[in-house]
Amino acid sequence: MSENRMKNHTSAGRLAKPGKRKQILFFFLALLCLPVLVFSGCGKEETEDENVVYVYNFGDYADPDVYDMFTEETGIEVVVDEYDTNEDMYPKVASGAAEYDVICPSDYMISKMINNDLLQPLQQDLLPTAAEYIDKEYLQFSESYDPGNIYSIPYSWGTIGIMYNTTILEEEPDTWDILWDPVWKDEILMQESVRDTFGITLKRLGYSMNTTDKDELEDALNELIDQKELVQAYVIDEARDKLVSGEAALGVVYSGEALWMIDANEDLAFSIPEEGTNIWLDSWVIPANARHVENAHAFIDFMCRPDIAALNCEYLTYSTPNNGARDYIEDEYVLESEEIFPDMDEMPELEAFNWLGEEMDQYYSDLWLRLKSS
């Protein structure tokens, strides 16, 4: 993870209050210096501040080399701060406690930020590379949370599916039903995530992952309560370790993790059930209070270059929406991966998560508490 953190612009301490004569002397010195400061812009802090872009990103969510490459090419310093989840990021940005120039939230959180006036429209004329290389298919997906693609540019994407051990399961699990099969009691891993866990359950029932119908949500809750005794654990990162080590036979994982897991254990395979699944997109946005707007656009457009997108794809092993990146990927394992480059024509129904409003956010959270306490 990057060691760089957003610079603290607050003073390190308070100056002692000067005597009256010192105040007068300081006043005249200030008047003398004022024309120099105004016309030459010679203040060191001001000059440095103009050549910087403050980026708020998920932890370790870009090849560190690309930050250095951007600085070498543009002279703009990249200062990176990191967060673990969208929910960690949002209150910090919403409160105005820190000012960032570029952020990389997920789909549903972008919708929430748009709704709460936390983002500014992108200046498309400053993003020529994005216009050329971001695949229109992914722009269509992002329309569901950013109508007109006004506020965001897709950076990375993936799906959620079932990772399973081929030495234990003789056939590929092609339906979410297998996660409710008593045969696999204590062998099943579910995501410690309300939207992901309810999402796949809703898909299994034939409902939308973005439903606000409380009857449908109650149906999903009842299904999850019935399933709970079969589940070994609700996990996030631990799913990788447990499946790779053989502690569990199958589990719900993100496609971006699948390639790493298969490389670590060749007995594992990844399947997307026929009922459909979530397609998640993480995208670049510019906050409403960004102070280095041109630098922010330059950074986003740089990240949309095919060679840069290829470096990030290889580093993350997550899918890229950049239609020129494959020409620059050197790692054959990544290049030939069906997990990273699936045939979209053969994919089942994909649905991006939307923000459902504060009331439904709370309702989903209440359902999750009811599940965990059942």
Side-chain angles (χ1 to χ4, degrees):
M1 296 174 65
S2 172
E3 295 299 324
N4 294 322
R5 296 293 171 187
M6 186 173 180
K7 290 181 179 177
N8 186 344
H9 294 289
T10 60
S11 174
R14 295 182 181 273
L15 294 175
K17 185 177 181 179
K20 187 174 181 179
R21 290 178 64 185
K22 290 183 178 179
Q23 290 181 28
I24 295 172
L25 178 60
F26 179 81
F27 175 77
F28 282 107
L29 288 172
L31 286 177
L32 290 172
C33 291
L34 184 58
V36 178
L37 292 172
V38 170
F39 292 109
S40 71
C42 66
K44 183 178 180 182
E45 182 177 347
E46 181 180 342
T47 302
E48 290 179 346
D49 201 40
E50 289 303 311
N51 293 312
V52 69
V53 60
Y54 293 114
V55 178
Y56 201 19
N57 199 1
F58 288 105
D60 202 26
Y61 203 40
D63 185 334
D65 289 343
V66 305
Y67 297 137
D68 295 333
M69 293 170 65
F70 177 74
T71 300
E72 289 172 5
E73 291 190 21
T74 66
I76 300 170
E77 179 187 3
V78 182
V79 181
V80 183
D81 203 358
E82 296 179 342
Y83 55 90
D84 292 325
T85 69
N86 287 283
E87 287 67 29
D88 292 333
M89 173 275 295
Y90 181 82
K92 189 174 181 181
V93 174
S95 69
E99 294 180 344
Y100 297 102
D101 301 312
V102 180
I103 308 177
C104 188
S106 300
D107 33 43
Y108 69 96
M109 189 56 69
I110 292 172
S111 179
K112 181 175 182 177
M113 296 174 82
I114 293 171
N115 187 76
N116 289 308
D117 298 322
L118 294 177
L119 303 180
Q120 60 178 273
L122 299 175
Q123 299 176 42
Q124 299 299 333
D125 59 318
L126 298 180
L127 300 168
T129 309
E132 183 174 358
Y133 290 107
I134 300 303
D135 197 293
K136 289 180 173 57
E137 188 164 24
Y138 302 99
L139 292 173
Q140 289 174 357
F141 279 120
S142 68
E143 288 263 7
S144 66
Y145 57 86
D146 178 15
N149 301 118
I150 294 171
Y151 297 92
S152 63
I153 293 291
Y155 166 59
S156 183
W157 74 276
T159 57
I160 190 168
I162 299 174
M163 181 65 74
Y164 64 101
N165 192 311
T166 59
T167 66
I168 301 174
L169 279 73
E170 295 181 355
E171 298 182 357
E172 177 182 355
D174 58 2
T175 171
W176 293 115
D177 287 344
I178 194 169
L179 300 175
W180 276 260
D181 189 336
V183 169
W184 305 110
K185 178 178 171 61
D186 294 328
E187 294 283 354
I188 299 167
L189 301 176
M190 294 290 287
Q191 283 288 318
E192 180 72 26
S193 164
V194 58
R195 288 301 298 270
D196 289 326
T197 294
F198 269 83
I200 63 175
T201 309
L202 290 164
K203 274 295 185 191
R204 175 173 176 261
L205 293 171
Y207 303 144
S208 168
M209 286 183 155
N210 292 304
T211 187
T212 57
D213 185 311
K214 293 184 178 180
D215 289 336
E216 294 179 354
L217 289 167
E218 288 292 333
D219 287 347
L221 174 63
N222 291 332
E223 289 291 310
L224 287 167
I225 290 173
D226 290 343
Q227 180 212 32
K228 189 176 179 182
E229 65 176 358
L230 307 179
V231 176
Q232 181 189 123
Y234 295 90
V235 292
I236 301 179
D237 293 338
E238 298 93 327
R240 294 176 299 190
D241 299 330
K242 286 179 174 288
L243 287 162
V244 167
S245 66
E247 293 179 57
L250 68 165
V252 178
V253 303
Y254 302 106
S255 59
E257 298 176 323
L259 191 62
W260 178 89
M261 295 169 69
I262 294 169
D263 189 41
N265 183 343
E266 62 182 11
D267 293 331
L268 296 177
F270 182 72
S271 175
I272 297 178
E274 60 189 12
E275 297 96 336
T277 189
N278 167 240
I279 177 172
W280 54 263
L281 293 97
D282 297 333
S283 300
W284 299 114
V285 300
I286 300 179
N289 64 349
R291 291 192 298 116
H292 308 98
V293 176
E294 288 192 15
N295 294 353
H297 282 85
F299 176 83
I300 293 173
D301 207 51
F302 176 83
M303 296 297 271
C304 293
R305 264 177 33 186
D307 58 327
I308 301 303
L311 289 174
N312 285 321
C313 180
E314 288 182 296
Y315 183 82
L316 298 172
T317 65
Y318 276 28
S319 302
T320 174
N322 193 298
N323 58 28
R326 294 186 71 163
D327 294 337
Y328 291 87
I329 292 176
E330 298 178 356
D331 188 331
E332 291 294 327
Y333 182 60
V334 172
L335 190 60
E336 296 174 3
S337 167
E338 293 182 358
E339 288 75 26
I340 293 181
F341 296 108
D343 184 342
M344 296 299 286
D345 292 334
E346 296 184 3
M347 295 283 276
E349 181 185 7
L350 299 176
E351 189 175 6
F353 283 134
N354 297 334
W355 180 60
L356 305 175
E358 300 291 352
E359 180 182 347
M360 289 308 300
D361 267 1
Q362 187 58 54
Y363 191 77
Y364 269 81
S365 295
D366 291 344
L367 291 173
W368 186 249
L369 290 175
R370 287 169 60 188
L371 170 63
K372 298 306 287 289
S373 62
S374 65

